[in-house]
């Protein structure tokens, strides 16, 4: 490749022609100060601090935007350069308030740092004051535009990284400022409070609202966000055993972005509601006890039940929010010590459908992703997902791929999601008819001969069966059933099949259906037809709700699989684990989470260990779940808080939060990422992995580990999937997944086409319950809400429980926004406040999930038995009644 | 051999013999009521039964704005000037019906007292070389009129007999340079776009004429839109573009309207659209209007605005020729530049290059304004001296005042003093003299103009129009304006000049775009040429030209005042108070600066800021 040679500060350097002077200088170890420049943002050359002199013609060039040219003689610190640089800084300081001593940005302020470096004490110029009203209504951030130096990092962050476009320049000349449309407050704008702009602001113009601490930070610890499955890297800023601030970690793989939960939601760590000591229930009320006592009570109870009722009267419900190591230990404890396969984790409620589909189609249940970023993809198909709320990072990635890299976007969703604006094609099927629609896409792809023949012939099985199953498929019927026009179907199929690298992203909207497994199989069919599996930039990706949903399953926190997805019935595999663990392992699949609750209710499960999950708030039919758990002989809960579930327990063990322990999370791409201990466990809380080890020891069957490293070593040995450098964040090789598929996954055959047939809903909509209610992910909350509702800032932001409904529906019921209603389902009822929604079609209403104080789950009944899926449903039939009582809600 | 100018003039002898009235529709004439004149004419024509037989049209600007409202009667080509609606009767009855020229309405040369009937006889026009303005004030904006004067012949010639490379070669040989201000060789720019690799290219005509006082682009768009369109199509053919845009200020509704109509007419005749003149070349043109930001005349800002985003300038490189509209190679040429193209193609680069000195070929249109007898658009060969423009064409300074300076190039330009009167007006000489041609603004100042105030005016304009993106321009221009205000208000200190110079250099060297880089020019050039005047403001608290309001307010010298009370009696604002035996005082809050007190005072005790109040009080 062509190189360009030039001189910088008498040093001869060369680089490729696209490089800027700044990039080359930095590469050569020459420091040029900058303010508006940031590695993850497009350079704009606004602040002019980085001026350098080209001695050939005396021109002063902004090095961040000037490409190198051969023959340049650059001086980065000539007296002329310094003079100009200082003058620029003096101008900035003259128009910046003299409030450094009391400014919360303190020593973090880059303007102040630069003034110190250039030796500018006072501006020497008369003041040119900027006036602005400080905006601090929202609980997350403060905007004080009088401190703005207009570096436009916030604007670029909003437009280039998270693609919200909430901010842009407003006004011009000296009056120019970053602002929202019409300068409205942030809460009324597109802003999602992701905090990216705050993290990038060099001055005190944008500041996080801090609850705990102001001033200089002690240490910074790199970790991984504990909320959704995106697994964003975060920096925990720590002072005096408190996490004072969370920021996106500087990443070399991509721009550091978080969502509101990552940036502002980690204050649950220091919630006053954290459990401090173990609790044991005596005569119906909890008593604080020592760890030894609590562990002894628990060990004793488990041993007693095991001896009296057998191993399978015990069950363990692990957490998709705990680390890989903890899940590994917990299932080893369950299988080896308790002797049961009654093991599951919280992600099963929605993810089981997809795992089953993958197991049937690809031959491996654990891996649904084949790419590590969407930048290189040509088309993205998003089905049944609102990543803006459920996986914000993926949402940014999709928008970046579309807006900055020209990828096409197809949406399949009855709701008008926030991605609709970016979509080339939006298919809006009737609720629960997705399978019909997906089959019709396959039909068009086959009929129009858009299939990847070579891939199908060489790398797949069962093609003929798929052809047979679709032979009589009628597109006209499909159009009629789904309500999507034939043209739209043809357009989408054509786009998907001819795009090249096409990725599929799907969410709970498609997994949590009666035919959830079939839906995912139909998606897999599409990927197989077009060769988009095991292909970089192609593949499928499920949006997972928890930070370690993927890892918990990988670790065998499942009733039917050992770690690494070896079926429990698989004798040689089981033998391998038995030898290693020196224990006899149960050979029959155990109960899944929903079955556990059911069996508990029937009295067949006597003892249950729950770590970090809150089924009373999160499970469908929560009233029944509560009853079932209350009827247990013995329930022990490890958690941060005294949740609705923990209140039913006999023993509650205070667990340490993610910031207080080491370990790894596996994100929804399959990246294994470290969490690091930032602070000591609060009060007497202990990390879950220690609790499990101590519990095993208390049962006189200690597990042979003294440290996490030993656990990780065994894990690597037994689970080939996890056998790679822990430090390496993302696989880099082009053929990574090909290699994975060949060498690491227990694959024994080619992926298989799975004919799937659409079945009309079992129960026709009941006239008593005319609406379909969706429980939707909420951006400001997560999971069952046990942590997010303990975050002071998150819980302060949105207080009301709004029932979203189509305006026409509302008008027909004469419901105005703000009206109080009662939502009635066959199994429960809840109060709510009506809000008009532009995103929902008629007949559909929605409520936010994930608020611990608003148990939407009680409206949902347990799902009927279906072939394979243990998923809970995301929707139920309801009716809406005007509320008689005008009592204000709290 | 006749010159190109003469040749064009001959071509433009009206071929028809019937009567036709073209009313000047330039801005001043419109403000002075040319529409009323037109209506009055139509009424009179109706009375005489001539409706429809003598067409009356409002066209683009005819030229000399000091004569407005004016009109030309064809076929004689007579110019009637300074008209009122009442004059319509005479023109119709006398001239059209009776065939007698209405001498009273003709222009009379103030120097020779000679009656001048036709444009060509007037010194204002006689000394010009109207190539770019060849059709302005001669024909209407309709395509039929344009076609009568070899309209679109250059396009036909280029498409039929030249390949794009030959067109570019011809433009290069002509020596034409960009008329928007930069002066970049047009042919080279075309070549850059031609050779850039891309599946798609664009042509943009920059008609975002924002310099205060410059209106040549507007005039051309209103008076002769087809020559602009023809030039753009040839440019598109040369660089290989299939789409083009005219980016025009929304403040030019008439220009927008005429251009729209002209584009529709051109499309109808297949000069635009698919397969133009059946040559296989396809090109279409659209109009985009700006939203009133001066900075959008800067090409990268213009592109941002055209793309529907905020009109912010971007760093160059990449230049638009490499990455412009939608990231594709884009040619951006100014209106005046493209109007030269049909001439070059039709008459050849050789004939074109006969005008102007080496490296500065062709003509330039100046918007002559300020303290000069004849104002308006003046087109002269590049290299014409300032003296010729001001004194021969412009008729000199009114009221026998002295020439003090000329400001060229608008807010980005600088000032030229008396010593520059014989400077040839071309790109390079002006740059050497510390100014620029810019888009052609030319403001003449006499001894009553304050140069500090002038610098303040332009800086005010620039800081108001700064986009605010880069620090030197955003904060620097604000601070410089504040300092200049301080000086014009009599609060200046000597060190302010030093800070002003430092800031000016920072802006000039360190700003992101041309707006910021050139914004200090008016200040720097006046500071260089008229430093004494700045010092007078600062040290003596005096505005020598008597312009700066704070320094010229009336003041009663208590030592001279005899307390006669005369001033208080004549003061219309009742701003003067006093009593017998005590010197009178002026309440400046109430004072309206009529200066009647100053004239009335029998003891010369009242003066106009000559001595600083502050000093006198000390």
């Amino acid at each position: 490749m062509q190189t360009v040679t030039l001189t910088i500060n008498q040093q001869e350097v060369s680089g490729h022609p696209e490089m800027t002077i700044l990039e080359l200088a930095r590469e050569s170890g020459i420091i040029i100060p900058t303010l508006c420049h940031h590695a993850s943002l497009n350079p704009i050359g606004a602040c002019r601090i980085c001026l350098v002199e080209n001695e050939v013609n005396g021109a002063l060039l902004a090095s961040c935007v000037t490409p190198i040219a051969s023959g340049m003689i650059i001086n980065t610190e000539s007296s002329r350069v310094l003079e100009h640089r200082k003058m620029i800084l003096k101008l900035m300081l003259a128009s910046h308030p003299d409030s450094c001593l009391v400014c919360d940005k303190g020593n973090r302020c880059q303007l102040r740092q630069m003034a110190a470096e250039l030796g500018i004490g006072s501006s020497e110029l008369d003041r040119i004051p900027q006036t602005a009203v400080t905006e601090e209504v929202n609980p997350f951030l403060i905007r004080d535009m009088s401190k703005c130096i207009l570096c436009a990092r916030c604007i670029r962050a909003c437009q280039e990284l998270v693609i919200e476009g909430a901010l842009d320049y407003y006004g011009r000349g000296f009056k120019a400022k970053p602002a929202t449309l019409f300068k409205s407050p942030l809460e009324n704008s597109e802003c999602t409070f992701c905090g990216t702009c705050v993290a990038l602001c060099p001055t005190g113009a944008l500041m996080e609202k801090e609850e705990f601490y102001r001033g200089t930070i002690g240490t910074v610890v790199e970790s991984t966000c504990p909320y959704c499955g995106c697994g964003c890297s975060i920096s925990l800023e720590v002072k005096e055993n408190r996490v004072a601030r969370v920021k996106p970690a500087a990443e070399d793989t991509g721009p550091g972005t978080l969502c509101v939960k990552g940036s502002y939601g980690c204050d649950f760590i220091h919630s006053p509601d954290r459990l401090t000591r173990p609790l044991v229930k005596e005569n119906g009320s909890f008593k604080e006890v020592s760890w030894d006592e609590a562990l002894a009570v628990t060990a004793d109870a488990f041993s007693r039940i095991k001896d009296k009722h057998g191993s399978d009267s015990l069950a363990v419900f692990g957490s998709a929010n705990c680390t890989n190591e903890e899940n590994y230990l917990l299932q080893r404890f369950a299988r080896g010590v308790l002797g049961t396969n009654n093991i599951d984790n919280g992600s099963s409620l929605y993810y089981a459908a997809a795992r089953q589909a993958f197991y049937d189609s690809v031959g491996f249940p654990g891996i649904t992703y084949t790419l590590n970023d969407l930048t290189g993809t040509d088309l993205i198909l998003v089905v049944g997902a609102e990543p803006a709320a459920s996986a914000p990072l993926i949402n940014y990635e999709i928008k970046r791929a579309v807006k900055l890299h020209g990828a096409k976007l197809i949406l399949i969703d009855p709701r008008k999601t926030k991605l609709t604006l970016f979509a080339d094609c939006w298919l809006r099927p009737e609720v629960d008819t997705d399978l019909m629609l997906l089959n019709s896409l396959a039909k068009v792809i086959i009929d129009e001969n858009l299939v990847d023949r070579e891939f199908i012939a060489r790398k797949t099985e069962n093609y003929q069966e798929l052809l047979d199953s679709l032979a009589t498929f009628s597109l006209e019927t499909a159009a009629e059933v789904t309500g999507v026009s034939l043209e739209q179907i043809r357009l989408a199929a054509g786009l998907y099949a001819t795009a090249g690298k096409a990725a599929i992203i799907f969410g709970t909207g498609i997994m949590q259906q009666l035919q959830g497994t079939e839906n995912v199989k139909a998606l897999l069919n599409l990927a197989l037809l077009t060769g988009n599996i095991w292909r970089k930039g192609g593949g499928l990706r499920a949006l997972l709700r928890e930070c370690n949903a993927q890892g918990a399953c990988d670790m065998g926190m499942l009733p039917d699989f050992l770690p690494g997805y070896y079926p429990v019935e698989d004798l040689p595999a089981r033998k391998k684990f038995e030898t290693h663990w020196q224990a006899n392992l149960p050979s029959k699949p155990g109960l899944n989470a929903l079955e556990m609750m059911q069996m508990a209710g029937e009295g067949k499960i006597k003892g249950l260990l729950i770590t970090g999950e809150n089924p009373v708030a999160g499970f469908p039919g929560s009233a029944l779940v509560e009853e079932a758990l209350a009827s247990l002989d013995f329930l022990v809960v490890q958690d941060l808080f005294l949740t609705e579930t923990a209140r039913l327990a006999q023993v509650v063990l205070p667990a340490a939060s993610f910031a207080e322990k080491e370990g790894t999370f596996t994100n929804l791409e399959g990246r294994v990422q470290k969490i690091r201990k930032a602070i000591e466990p609060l009060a007497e809380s202990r990390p879950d992995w220690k609790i499990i080890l101590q519990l095993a020891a208390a049962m006189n069957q200690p597990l042979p580990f003294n440290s996490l490293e030993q656990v990780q070593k065994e894990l690597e040995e037994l689970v080939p999937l996890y056998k790679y450098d822990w430090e390496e964040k993302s696989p880099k090789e082009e053929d990574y997944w090909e290699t994975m598929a060949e060498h690491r996954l227990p694959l024994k055959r080619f992926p298989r086409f799975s004919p799937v047939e659409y079945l009309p809903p079992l129960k026709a909509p009941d006239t008593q319950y005319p609406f379909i209610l969706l429980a939707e992910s909420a951006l400001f909350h997560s999971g069952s809400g046990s942590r997010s509702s303990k975050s002071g800032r998150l819980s302060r932001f949105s207080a009301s429980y709004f029932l979203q409904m189509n305006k026409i529906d509302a008008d027909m019921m004469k419901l105005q926004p703000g009206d109080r209603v009662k939502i009635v389902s066959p199994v429960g009822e809840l109060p709510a406040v009506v809000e008009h929604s532009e995103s929902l079609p008629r007949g559909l209403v929605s409520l936010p999930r994930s608020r611990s104080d608003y148990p939407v789950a009680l409206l949902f009944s347990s799902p009927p038995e279906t072939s394979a899926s243990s998923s809970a449903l995301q929707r139920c039939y309801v009716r809406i009644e005007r509320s008689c009582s005008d009592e204000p809600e709290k | 051999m006749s010159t190109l100018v003469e040749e064009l003039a001959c071509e433009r002898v009206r071929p028809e013999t019937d009567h036709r009235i073209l009313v000047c529709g330039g801005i001043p004439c419109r403000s002075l009521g040319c529409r009323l004149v037109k209506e009055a004419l139509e009424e009179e024509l109706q009375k005489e039964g001539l409706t429809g037989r003598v067409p009356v049209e409002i066209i683009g600007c005819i030229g000399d704005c000091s004569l407005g409202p004016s009109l030309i009667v064809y076929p004689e080509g007579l110019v009637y000037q300074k008209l009122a609606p009442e004059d319509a009767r005479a023109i119709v009855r006398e001239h059209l019906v009776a065939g007698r020229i209405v001498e009273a309405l003709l222009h009379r040369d103030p120097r020779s007292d000679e009656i001048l009937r036709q444009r060509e006889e007037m010194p204002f026009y006689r000394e010009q070389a109207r190539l770019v303005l060849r059709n302005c004030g001669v024909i209407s904006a309709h395509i039929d009129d344009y076609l009568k004067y070899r309209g679109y012949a250059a396009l036909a010639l280029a498409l039929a007999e030249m390949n794009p490379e030959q067109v570019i070669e011809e433009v290069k040989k002509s020596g034409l340079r960009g008329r928007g201000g930069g002066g970049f060789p047009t042919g080279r720019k075309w070549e850059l776009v031609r050779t850039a690799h891309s599946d798609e290219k664009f042509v943009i005509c920059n008609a975002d004429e924002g310099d205060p006082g410059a209106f040549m682009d507007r005039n051309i768009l209103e008076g002769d839109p087809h020559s602009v369109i023809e030039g753009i199509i040839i440019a598109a053919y040369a660089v290989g573009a299939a789409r083009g845009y005219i980016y025009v200020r929304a403040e030019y509704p008439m220009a927008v309207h005429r251009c729209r109509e002209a584009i529709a007419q051109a499309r109808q005749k297949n000069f635009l659209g698919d397969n133009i003149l059946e040559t296989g070349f396809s090109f279409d043109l659209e109009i985009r209007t700006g939203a009133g930001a001066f900075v959008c005349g800067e090409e990268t800002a213009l592109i941002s605005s055209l793309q529907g985003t905020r009109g912010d300038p971007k760093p160059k490189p990449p230049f638009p020729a490499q990455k412009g509209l939608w990231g594709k190679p884009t040619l951006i040429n100014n209106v005046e530049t493209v109007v030269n193209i049909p001439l070059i193609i039709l008459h050849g680069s050789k004939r074109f290059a006969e005008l102007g000195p080496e490296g500065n070929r062709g003509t330039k249109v100046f918007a002559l304004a300020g303290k000069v007898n004849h104002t308006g658009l003046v087109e002269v060969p590049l290299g014409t001296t300032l003296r010729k423009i001001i004194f021969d064409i412009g008729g000199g300074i009114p009221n026998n005042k002295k020439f003090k300076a000329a400001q060229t190039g608008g807010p980005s330009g600088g000032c030229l003093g008396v010593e520059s009167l014989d400077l040839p007006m071309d790109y390079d000489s002006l740059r050497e003299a510390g100014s620029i041609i810019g888009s052609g603004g030319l403001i003449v100042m006499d001894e009553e103009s304050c140069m500090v105030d002038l610098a303040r005016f332009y800086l005010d304009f620039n800081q108001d129009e700064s986009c605010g993106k880069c620090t030197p321009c955003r904060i620097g221009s604000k601070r410089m304006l504040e300092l200049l205000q301080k000086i014009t208000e009599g609060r200046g200190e000597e060190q302010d000049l030093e800070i002003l110079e430092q800031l000016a250099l920072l802006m000039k060297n360190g700003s992101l775009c041309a707006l910021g880089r050139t914004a200090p020019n008016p200040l720097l050039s006046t500071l260089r040429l008229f430093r004494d005047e700045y010092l007078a403001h600062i040290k003596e608290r005096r505005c020598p030209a008597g312009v700066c309001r704070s320094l010229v307010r009336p003041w009663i010298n208590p030592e001279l005042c005899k307390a006669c009370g005369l001033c208080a009696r004549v003061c219309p604002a009742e701003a003067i108070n006093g009593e017998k035996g005590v010197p009178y005082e002026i309440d400046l809050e109430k004072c309206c600066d009529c200066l009647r007190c100053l004239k009335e005072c029998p003891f010369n005790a009242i003066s106009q800021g000559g001595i600083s109040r502050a000093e006198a009080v000390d």
Side-chain angles (χ1 to χ4, degrees), chain A residues 139-176:
Chain A
F140 307 110
L141 56 100
I142 306 172
R143 292 172 83 230
D144 179 358
M145 288 298 112
S146 72
K147 294 175 180 168
C148 176
I149 56 167
L150 213 68
C151 66
R153 284 192 194 181
C154 54
I155 294 173
R156 284 176 287 159
C158 204
Q159 298 189 349
E160 295 169 14
L161 297 183
V162 300
I163 323 249
E164 283 301 342
L167 293 178
D168 204 338
Y169 291 97
Y170 187 98
R172 65 186 186 201
F174 190 71
K175 294 190 200 96

Side-chain angles (χ1 to χ4, degrees), chain A residues 73-359:
Chain A
I73 301 174
I74 299 295
N75 192 334
T76 69
E77 47 202 7
S78 69
S79 59
R80 235 177 119 225
V81 166
L82 289 180
E83 227 169 78
H84 281 78
R85 200 175 280 161
K86 283 183 179 174
M87 196 62 177
I88 291 169
L89 208 66
K90 283 179 197 169
L91 282 174
M92 284 183 181
L93 289 172
S95 58
H96 194 82
D98 269 332
S99 58
C100 289
L101 285 178
V102 292
C103 177
D104 289 351
K105 202 74 167 200
N107 293 336
R108 296 179 289 150
C109 175
Q110 290 171 30
L111 182 65
R112 183 168 152 186
Q113 287 166 14
M114 192 155 299
E117 268 166 41
L118 292 178
I120 298 171
S122 66
S123 164
E124 294 162 32
L125 295 175
D126 290 342
R127 304 216 51 77
I128 317 171
Q130 301 190 75
T131 49
V133 179
T134 306
E135 188 190 331
E136 50 179 344
V137 175
N138 71 80
F140 307 110
L141 56 100
I142 306 172
R143 292 172 83 230
D144 179 358
M145 288 298 112
S146 72
K147 294 175 180 168
C148 176
I149 56 167
L150 213 68
C151 66
R153 284 192 194 181
C154 54
I155 294 173
R156 284 176 287 159
C158 204
Q159 298 189 349
E160 295 169 14
L161 297 183
V162 300
I163 323 249
E164 283 301 342
L167 293 178
D168 204 338
Y169 291 97
Y170 187 98
R172 65 186 186 201
F174 190 71
K175 294 190 200 96
K177 286 281 178 296
T180 56
L181 185 64
F182 304 128
K183 258 181 156 173
S184 58
L186 283 175
E187 350 15 318
N188 301 345
S189 73
E190 297 291 310
C191 178
T192 62
F193 298 101
C194 68
T196 312
C197 55
V198 180
L200 291 173
C201 180
T203 71
L206 292 174
M207 301 270 291
E208 50 287 288
K209 272 199 172 169
E210 287 161 53
E211 310 261 295
F212 313 126
Y213 188 79
R214 293 163 191 270
T216 310
I217 284 307
T219 50
V220 179
V221 179
E222 304 276 295
S223 192
T224 303
C225 175
Y227 279 107
C228 77
C230 294
C232 303
S233 300
I234 55 176
S235 288
L236 300 175
E237 301 192 352
V238 181
K239 177 84 175 183
E240 289 158 8
N241 210 41
R242 290 194 81 101
V243 176
R245 205 176 291 122
V246 176
K247 288 176 104 173
E251 279 190 75
D252 42 40
T253 47
T257 51
L258 297 177
C259 71
V260 65
K261 290 192 287 284
S263 287
Y264 305 109
C266 290
D267 51 359
F268 72 85
I269 299 170
H270 297 290
S271 161
D273 296 338
R274 277 284 296 273
L275 291 167
T276 52
R277 299 193 67 196
L279 303 173
V280 169
K281 200 177 265 170
E282 270 179 23
N283 304 323
S285 61
F286 285 116
K287 189 183 80 172
E288 288 192 354
V289 297
S290 72
W291 269 102
D292 287 346
E293 194 182 336
L295 289 169
V297 171
T298 309
D300 191 48
F302 279 154
S303 305
R304 187 169 35 82
I305 294 170
K306 185 179 167 187
D307 293 344
K308 197 168 163 193
H309 303 285
S311 288
D312 284 339
S313 63
L314 293 170
V316 172
F317 188 36
S319 175
N321 295 316
C322 286
T323 64
N324 286 318
E325 295 74 12
E326 287 162 347
N327 276 296
Y328 179 80
L329 285 174
L330 193 58
Q331 62 82 33
R332 185 172 160 177
F333 171 77
R335 293 192 161 106
V337 178
L338 301 181
T340 180
N341 273 332
N342 294 340
I343 304 169
D344 208 348
N345 72 79
S347 71
S348 284
L349 288 188
Y350 61 89
Y351 192 25
R355 279 205 320 272
Q356 184 67 46
F358 269 77
Y359 190 51

Side-chain angles (χ1 to χ4, degrees), chain A residues 43-48 51 60-61 65-67 80 84-85 87-88 90-92 94-95 124-128 148-150 168-176, chain B residues 291-294 310 312 314-318 463-472 474-476 478-479 482 486 499 502-503 505-506 509-513 517:
Chain A
I44 52 167
C47 74
R48 317 303 282 180
L51 285 182
L60 292 174
L61 308 165
V65 287
T66 311
R80 235 177 119 225
H84 281 78
R85 200 175 280 161
M87 196 62 177
I88 291 169
K90 283 179 197 169
L91 282 174
M92 284 183 181
S95 58
E124 294 162 32
L125 295 175
D126 290 342
R127 304 216 51 77
I128 317 171
C148 176
I149 56 167
L150 213 68
D168 204 338
Y169 291 97
Y170 187 98
R172 65 186 186 201
F174 190 71
K175 294 190 200 96
Chain B
F294 176 64
R310 181 183 156 98
D312 270 350
K314 305 272 181 298
K316 293 191 274 190
Q463 76 98 31
D464 194 45
E465 293 291 345
S466 161
C467 78
K469 191 169 174 178
C470 74
T471 319
R474 179 180 72 249
I475 315 181
K478 166 94 174 163
R479 171 41 37 106
E482 283 174 358
K486 198 173 141 189
I499 301 176
Q502 277 179 25
L503 288 170
L505 280 180
L506 174 69
N509 297 325
S511 294
L512 187 142
C513 78
R517 286 173 177 269

Side-chain angles (χ1 to χ4, degrees), chain A residues 551-753:
Chain A
C553 297
D554 291 349
M555 291 301 109
M557 204 66 221
L558 296 168
D560 41 1
F561 289 104
L562 290 160
Y565 301 103
Y566 295 100
V568 292
E569 299 106 318
D570 180 347
L571 186 64
R574 202 171 67 239
K575 277 279 170 257
K576 188 172 120 193
F577 283 91
E578 286 185 339
T579 326
H580 224 98
W581 294 352
Q582 294 173 351
N584 288 325
L585 302 182
S587 60
K588 273 202 301 228
L591 301 175
N592 66 37
L594 290 170
E595 290 164 341
M596 282 179 203
M597 300 307 150
Q598 207 180 339
M599 291 299 150
E602 291 175 18
K604 289 179 185 148
I605 293 287
K606 306 279 185 193
L608 180 58
L609 166 62
I610 298 180
T611 48
E613 291 283 347
N614 187 6
V616 173
F619 273 40
S622 45
L624 288 174
V625 171
E626 190 170 350
E627 209 172 284
L629 292 178
S631 73
L632 285 167
D633 279 7
F634 188 77
L635 171 66
V636 54
V637 173
Q638 296 170 210
D639 210 314
L640 300 178
F641 301 102
L642 195 62
T643 60
E644 292 80 355
T645 305
R647 287 197 190 102
L648 304 174
Q650 274 69 46
V651 175
V652 181
L653 303 173
S657 77
F658 79 103
E660 296 147 45
K661 62 189 181 188
E662 302 277 332
T664 56
F665 287 154
T666 305
N667 81 344
L668 58 80
E669 293 172 292
R671 271 194 281 158
V672 181
Q673 308 183 108
K674 279 200 168 181
I675 59 163
R676 292 184 180 84
K677 186 168 159 179
I679 55 174
E680 288 302 320
L682 295 190
E684 288 188 21
S685 65
R686 290 179 181 176
D688 291 289
W689 65 272
K690 275 196 178 156
I691 302 176
I692 298 158
L693 288 179
Q694 286 160 353
L695 194 57
M699 288 183 75
N700 292 323
Q701 294 182 59
L703 300 175
F705 304 109
N706 290 318
S707 69
L708 271 184
E709 286 70 35
Q710 292 172 337
V711 182
Q712 282 165 357
K713 208 163 155 258
E714 178 173 307
L715 208 160
E716 279 181 56
E717 209 174 321
L718 293 174
V719 185
L721 202 57
Y722 277 64
K723 197 187 287 177
Y724 58 79
D725 188 1
W726 291 104
E727 291 300 330
E728 193 190 335
K729 276 184 176 166
S730 59
K732 290 208 170 61
E733 318 109 82
E734 189 72 22
D735 58 346
Y736 179 82
W737 295 109
E738 197 103 13
T739 326
M740 277 294 265
E742 274 172 33
H743 303 297
R744 299 230 176 109
L745 305 183
L747 291 183
K748 298 194 177 74
R749 57 169 171 81
F750 286 126
R752 175 181 289 162
F753 284 99

